């Protein structure tokens, strides 16, 4: 088996402490079975995740938000170094997320839009100049962040990552990392989630690695903690009466991956076939979704 413990997290970008639907759900699967948790804030969730990896062997943390952004994002922001690391470091310092879940994600998105190189110069309207991030409450709108999807400018990074394009080719409907608001949107979760994982990296140091950025498209064999992106909706799940869908999905995903690990088939999920022309994008900036093989 690759892992002694598998942790699946359904993240939330809520701006208030909350439990139940549309909040953080965590499923932890190990030899003792599966435990569900519903922490009221992201800070509590991060503390639970850190505690869950503290005393066991190799651990997989699967999170349901994008770990990278479409190719060209770091360059558009004029960031130096490996694109994904530069974005993580930027969000780790820019996103404020307090102990009541109050956060500045819309302000961060607006600032990132404003910084996107070349967009304002090539746009023909204010809507286009707003930038690739979009979706916010009317009160959070700015010159650079719109509530509705703006017309895309040629200077922006692509709307879809390579993995999302593949999913769309299969007839599925993933959401773009640029969409911050709306049912199923993942952009806000990515902003606050990457910032949270960057802080977890500060705590765990070299114990933590991120698939596939740190590992390549290979099964990690010498890492204590592996973070990977998952999409629980990719797999069918039966929601028992009275159970919240998010809770059922993390529980089912943790069970599925744990069963695969026990059978020796989990390893294959870490080695998807990716075209050679796309490898630099996938490994350097965009990442991949575990299970899209």
């Amino acid at each position: 088996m690759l892992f002694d413990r598998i942790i699946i997290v359904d993240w939330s970008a809520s701006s208030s402490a909350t439990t139940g639907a549309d909040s953080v759900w965590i499923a932890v699967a190990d030899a003792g079975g599966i435990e569900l948790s519903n922490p009221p804030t992201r800070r509590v969730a991060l503390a639970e995740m850190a505690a869950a990896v503290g005393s066991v062997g190799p651990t997989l943390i699967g999170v349901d938000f994008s770990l990278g952004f479409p190719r060209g994002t770091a360059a558009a922001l004029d960031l130096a170094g490996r694109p994904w690391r530069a974005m993580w470091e930027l969000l780790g310092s820019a996103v404020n997320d307090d102990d009541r879940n109050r956060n500045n994600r819309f302000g961060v998105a607006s600032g990132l839009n404003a910084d996107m190189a070349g967009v304002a110069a090539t746009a023909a309207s204010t809507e286009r100049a707003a930038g690739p991030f979009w979706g916010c409450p009317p009160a959070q709108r700015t010159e650079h962040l719109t509530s509705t999807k703006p017309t895309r400018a040629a200077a922006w990074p692509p709307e879809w990552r390579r993995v999302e394009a593949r999913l769309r080719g299969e007839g599925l409907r993933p959401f773009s990392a640029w969409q911050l608001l709306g049912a199923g949107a993942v952009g806000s979760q990515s902003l606050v989630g990457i910032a949270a994982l960057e802080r977890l990296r500060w705590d765990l140091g070299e114990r933590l690695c991120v698939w596939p950025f740190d590992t390549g498209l290979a099964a990690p064999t010498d890492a204590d903690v592996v973070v990977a992106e998952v999409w629980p909706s990719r797999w069918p799940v039966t929601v028992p009466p009275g159970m919240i869908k998010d809770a059922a999905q993390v529980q089912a995903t943790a069970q599925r991956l744990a069963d695969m690990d026990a059978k020796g088939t989990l390893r294959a999920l870490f080695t998807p076939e990716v075209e050679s022309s796309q490898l630099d994008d996938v490994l350097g900036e965009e990442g991949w979704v575990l299970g899209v093989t």
Side-chain angles (χ1 to χ4, degrees):
M1 293 176 62
L2 291 172
F3 302 103
D4 291 345
R5 178 169 288 172
I6 293 176
I7 303 169
I8 302 299
V9 185
D10 183 280
W11 206 241
S12 167
S14 172
S15 294
S16 60
T18 184
T19 56
D22 300 320
S23 63
V24 179
W25 284 92
I26 301 175
V28 180
D30 55 26
I34 295 184
E35 291 188 6
L36 272 175
S37 173
N38 184 207
T41 68
R42 285 178 291 276
R43 285 202 182 182
V44 173
L46 201 61
E48 287 189 10
M49 292 161 61
V53 303
S55 58
V56 296
T59 300
L60 172 65
I61 300 177
V63 296
D64 72 333
F65 53 81
S66 305
L67 296 180
F69 291 89
R71 55 201 175 277
T73 301
L77 291 166
D78 199 25
L79 300 179
R82 294 190 67 192
W84 79 273
R85 285 296 300 127
M87 282 298 297
W88 278 47
E89 291 168 1
L90 174 62
L91 294 178
S93 61
V95 174
N96 298 321
D97 200 357
D98 72 13
D99 59 3
R100 299 299 297 168
N101 269 353
R102 293 171 297 192
N103 63 83
N104 64 337
R105 68 186 188 277
F106 296 118
V108 170
S110 178
L112 293 174
N113 279 349
D115 291 340
M116 290 284 177
V119 171
T122 60
S125 70
T126 301
E127 282 292 303
R128 286 174 138 184
F133 283 106
W134 66 274
C136 64
Q140 299 278 2
R141 286 183 299 192
T142 71
E143 178 185 356
H144 301 288
L145 182 66
T146 57
S147 294
T148 57
K149 186 177 181 179
T151 303
R152 291 192 59 78
W156 294 355
E159 183 171 7
W160 307 104
R161 297 181 298 162
R162 301 289 193 182
V163 67
E164 291 152 354
R166 180 176 294 189
L167 288 167
R168 287 168 61 83
E170 296 176 6
L172 299 174
R173 294 176 60 87
F175 282 76
S176 170
W178 304 124
Q179 184 178 346
L180 303 173
L181 198 64
V186 72
S188 284
Q189 288 91 325
S190 295
L191 291 178
V192 297
I194 288 175
L197 289 176
E198 177 67 3
R199 294 176 188 121
L200 184 63
R201 175 187 283 273
W202 297 344
D203 292 337
L204 297 180
E206 294 183 358
R207 290 187 60 200
L208 184 146
C209 71
V210 183
W211 179 86
F213 299 131
D214 290 321
T215 65
L217 293 175
T221 57
D222 57 357
D224 285 344
V225 182
V226 179
V227 173
E229 181 180 341
V230 296
W231 190 28
S233 296
R234 180 171 174 78
W235 294 304
V237 60
T238 300
V239 182
M243 191 174 194
I244 291 173
K245 182 179 179 181
D246 294 339
Q249 284 187 320
V250 295
Q251 180 175 273
T253 302
Q255 186 67 66
R256 176 184 293 271
L257 297 183
D259 290 345
M260 292 182 70
D261 202 10
K263 295 175 183 177
T265 57
L266 181 60
R267 185 179 300 271
L269 298 192
F270 289 93
T271 58
E273 293 184 4
V274 176
E275 294 179 19
S276 58
S277 61
Q278 300 180 3
L279 278 176
D280 286 347
D281 296 332
V282 169
L283 299 179
E285 184 160 21
E286 295 189 343
W288 200 258
V289 177
L290 192 67
V292 181
T293 56

